[in-house]
């Protein structure tokens, strides 16, 4: 009997010692599902950004939940949303029901994210969007708060503000051309890929440019999103005498258009949205002919905040390319961490209340969520940036002392030399 008691005491002591010696990583992980089209660059951005943040947080001990440090476990969820919305639905269902995800981040295509959002709301899971821009995703929060309060959008800025920045960039380039070349009335060619999302930008351009911005629209061109040849459009644009080409491209036509515009040395400045030109591979893919292309962007190697350049450099070192905006999952994980640690629980309702109090400086600006759980846009908050290809590098050219906003490392916008020569000789 004495032997049994002794054995029991030793076993208890061993278990106690083992418990005391358990590393923080032995606690139950907090599961975060990363949603994205993983076969595409957008999904890669989602996963890369989240992986960077999870590794940093886990290395520092994890997320403090009450008195316990819990590690992050990422769940990679390939939504395949470019090709199939039902695939996205099934993937998110599995993340919630089978993998028991505690939080969701990511998503890209608005049509798919709308469905993912409902699945997350049914499960009462906090979902931070890092990809889709449509305002409807956030207006649902204000229309039916009790159901949609678990949704927050972090990146990009919504379509309304993307449009606002788009026209600010256009107006800035027009001002520079007027001042540099002495042009009295700027002529604009509106070029947008033939896709539904581009229609509102085309329609408002036709009204806003002449009525509010004092410019002349010389024509509208709508090439296919996957066009391999835009020489006909470019020739027509040159015949029309355009000083600026106002672009709206989200797909591969942006690459074709920029390359051929440079090859033909069309005497006009290209500015607007060109997602292809946000990528590191744009320069080699255009053989350098995409020089001077300007686009809305989220990241560049400038000091938007003290965190931007360290994040940018580490991302480039790890993944051999510049981060695209879906890599904002990096910030999403830190925002979740801070919200959880403020309330000491992963209970969704309490985390929502904590997220609503977020005032956090991330890699793209100061994040404060508004009543619709969208990021606040404007000076002092998140603004987005304008980038231009100069001498083989993506350079930030906007904001450039706009509304007293200037990010260290930003450089002046440059007109292409052939544009300057053409219009100066035209006088």
């Amino acid at each position: 009997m004495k032997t049994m008691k002794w054995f029991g005491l030793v076993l208890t002591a061993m278990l106690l010692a083992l418990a005391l010696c358990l590393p923080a990583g032995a606690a139950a992980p907090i599961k975060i599902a990363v949603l994205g089209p993983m076969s595409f660059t957008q999904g890669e951005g989602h996963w890369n950004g989240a992986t960077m943040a999870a590794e940093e947080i886990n290395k520092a001990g994890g997320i403090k939940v009450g008195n316990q440090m819990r590690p992050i476990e990422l769940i990679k969820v390939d939504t395949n949303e470019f090709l199939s919305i039902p695939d996205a639905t099934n993937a998110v269902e599995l993340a919630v029901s089978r993998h028991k995800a505690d939080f969701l981040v990511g998503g890209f295509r608005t049509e798919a994210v709308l469905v993912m959002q409902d699945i997350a709301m049914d499960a009462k899971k906090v979902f931070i969007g890092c990809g889709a821009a449509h305002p409807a995703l956030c207006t649902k929060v204000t229309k039916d708060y009790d159901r949609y309060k678990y949704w927050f959008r972090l990146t990009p800025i919504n379509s309304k503000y993307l449009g606002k920045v788009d026209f600010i960039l256009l107006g800035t380039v027009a001002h520079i051309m007027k001042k540099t070349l002495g042009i009295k009335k700027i002529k604009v060619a509106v070029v947008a890929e033939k896709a539904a999302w581009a229609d509102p930008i085309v329609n408002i351009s036709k009204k806003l440019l002449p009525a509010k911005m004092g410019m002349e629209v010389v024509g509208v061109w709508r090439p296919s999103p996957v066009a391999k040849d835009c020489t006909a459009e470019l020739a027509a644009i040159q015949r029309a005498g355009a000083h600026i080409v106002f672009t709206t491209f989200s797909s591969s036509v942006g690459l074709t258009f920029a390359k051929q515009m440079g090859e033909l040395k069309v005497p006009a400045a290209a500015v607007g949205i060109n997602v292809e030109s946000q990528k590191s591979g744009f320069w080699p893919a255009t053989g350098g002919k995409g020089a001077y292309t300007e686009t809305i962007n989220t990241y560049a190697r400038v000091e938007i905040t003290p965190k931007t350049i360290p994040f940018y450099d580490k991302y480039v070192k790890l993944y051999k390319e510049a981060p695209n905006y879906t890599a904002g999952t990096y910030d999403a994980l830190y925002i979740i961490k801070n919200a959880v640690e403020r309330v000491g629980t992963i209970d969704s309702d309490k985390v929502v209340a904590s997220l609503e109090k977020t005032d956090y400086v991330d890699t793209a600006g100061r994040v404060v969520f508004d009543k619709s759980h969208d990021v606040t846009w404007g000076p002092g908050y998140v603004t987005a940036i304008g980038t231009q290809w100069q001498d083989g590098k993506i350079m930030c050219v906007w904001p450039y002392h706009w509304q007293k906003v200037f990010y260290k490392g930003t450089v002046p916008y440059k007109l292409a030399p052939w544009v300057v020569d053409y219009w100066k000789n035209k006088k």
Side-chain angles (χ1 to χ4, degrees), residues 23-99:
I30 295 174
K31 296 184 177 182
I32 300 179
V34 183
L35 317 174
M38 296 301 173
S39 299
F40 296 83
T41 184
Q42 293 84 355
E44 290 173 358
H46 285 127
W47 183 249
N48 293 345
T51 300
M52 269 181 64
E55 289 179 353
E56 290 174 4
I57 293 169
N58 286 343
K59 189 176 179 180
I63 297 178
K64 188 175 184 181
V65 185
N67 294 321
Q68 191 176 39
M69 296 299 289
R70 296 177 60 179
I72 293 173
E73 178 184 325
L74 296 182
I75 303 166
K76 191 174 189 177
V77 181
D78 186 357
T79 55
N80 194 34
E81 58 202 81
F82 282 131
L83 306 178
S84 168
I85 291 177
D87 281 1
T89 306
N90 294 335
V92 179
E93 286 277 10
L94 284 175
V96 171
S97 60
R98 181 181 296 179
H99 298 293

Side-chain angles (χ1 to χ4, degrees), residues 121-137:
M121 301 305 106
D122 287 343
K124 300 187 186 303
K125 298 293 181 183
V126 171
F127 182 2
I128 298 186
C130 301
H134 202 291
L137 289 160

Side-chain angles (χ1 to χ4, degrees), residues 195-206:
W197 77 273
D199 293 346
I201 297 176
V202 172
N203 293 335
I204 196 168
S205 296
K206 290 190 287 189

Side-chain angles (χ1 to χ4, degrees), residues 176 269 292-293 388-391 397 411-417 420:
I176 291 170
Y292 305 103
T293 298
Q388 184 185 31
W389 280 92
Q390 297 181 0
D391 301 321
V397 296
V411 301
Y413 173 85
K414 287 183 179 178
L415 286 169
V420 174

